[in-house]
Amino acid sequence: MVTMASGPLRTYIVEDNPTIRENLIATLEEMAGVQAVGMTDNEIDAKAWLMREGAEWDIAIVDLFLKQGSGLGVISACRARHPSHKVVVLSNYATADIRQRCLVMGADAVFDKSNEIEALVDYCLALQAN
């Protein structure tokens, strides 16, 4: 059985904006004790890394709009993941309809970039506490 890592939450970031990606990593490392273990700006690389045999990650944070492809494709590809692997969406387009669609597709949580970063930090801290 795979369990959460003791220590930093191993986090894979799927975000096409380099500034947002760097700021997100810095914020989560400082406030939530996460460790970025990888990152990409497109769907193909994200799916390949996350579904790779032996990939060690606890949480994937996925934007919906990517340089190539979509975060929805990443979420869908991760449906067969181990239950301990969490996939969350962080998007500027976290409307009620998008939230529901992401959750139905297999996301564990959805956060709005503009006003729910604190909620994402709390989510990460809760994962580590379990």
Side-chain angles (χ1 to χ4, degrees):
M1 177 178 175
V2 176
T3 59
M4 289 291 164
S6 59
L9 200 62
R10 299 167 300 184
T11 306
Y12 190 81
I13 308 288
V14 185
E15 168 62 60
D16 65 330
N17 183 311
T19 303
I20 291 173
R21 189 172 54 232
E22 290 170 20
N23 289 337
L24 178 62
I25 290 169
T27 298
L28 292 176
E29 284 177 346
E30 180 181 335
M31 297 178 71
V34 307
Q35 173 191 11
V37 294
M39 64 192 85
T40 190
D41 61 4
N42 68 82
E43 177 183 343
I44 292 171
D45 291 345
K47 292 191 301 189
W49 195 94
L50 291 165
M51 302 316 299
R52 177 176 52 93
E53 182 76 28
E56 294 188 10
W57 58 282
D58 300 307
I59 183 172
I61 300 174
V62 181
D63 187 14
L64 294 178
F65 295 97
L66 303 172
K67 195 171 196 175
Q68 294 176 329
S70 164
L72 294 174
V74 176
I75 296 165
S76 182
C78 288
R79 277 183 179 250
R81 70 189 181 273
H82 189 278
S84 68
H85 293 168
K86 302 301 178 190
V87 175
V88 301
V89 173
L90 181 65
S91 175
N92 283 323
Y93 302 96
T95 64
D97 288 344
I98 290 292
R99 286 175 192 270
Q100 184 61 29
R101 184 171 179 195
C102 291
L103 294 172
V104 166
M105 291 183 75
D108 295 290
V110 180
F111 301 97
D112 190 303
K113 280 183 192 176
S114 61
N115 61 13
E116 292 183 324
I117 296 296
E118 240 180 77
L120 174 60
V121 167
D122 291 343
Y123 183 88
C124 292
L125 291 170
L127 285 178
Q128 289 179 333
N130 290 333

